Amino acid sequence: MKSRVVTLFIYGIYHSNNDVYFYGISREKDNALVAFRQRDIKIKNPTVTYDMVYFGNDGRSHFMMLHWALAEDGLLDKLLERDPDL
């Protein structure tokens, strides 16, 4: 079985409950911001070309690195909640 190739544009990385996830946008997912598990994707270009902001709670179990614009004014939460005012 041939695997499908889908291009994702990654805007955030986070670790939670022993898994690493990437927040990304795929044209196949209606250009919505979606979380993808690291083990389910293959990284072809590991370069990050934008400023990121780090968030962490206790330094051991959870962390998040976001594109600077997602970190501003609660934009990430608004996108994930599909805020109609955006």
Side-chain angles (χ1 to χ4, degrees), residues 44-60:
K44 291 195 166 207
N45 181 356
T47 305
V48 175
T49 59
Y50 45 81
D51 291 335
M52 297 188 82
V53 178
Y54 172 83
F55 296 92
N57 67 356
D58 61 8
R60 291 182 304 230

Side-chain angles (χ1 to χ4, degrees), residues 1 3 8-9 11 16-18 21 24 26 28 30-31 33 35 37-38 41 50 54 63 66 68-69 73 77 79-80:
M1 174 183 240
S3 61
L8 304 174
F9 299 95
Y11 296 100
S16 181
N17 299 323
N18 296 322
Y21 295 87
S26 166
E28 291 188 5
D30 299 324
N31 289 323
L33 189 68
R37 279 195 319 206
Q38 180 183 24
I41 63 175
Y50 45 81
Y54 172 83
F63 77 84
L66 297 176
W68 66 268
D73 195 33
D77 292 333
L79 287 171
L80 293 176

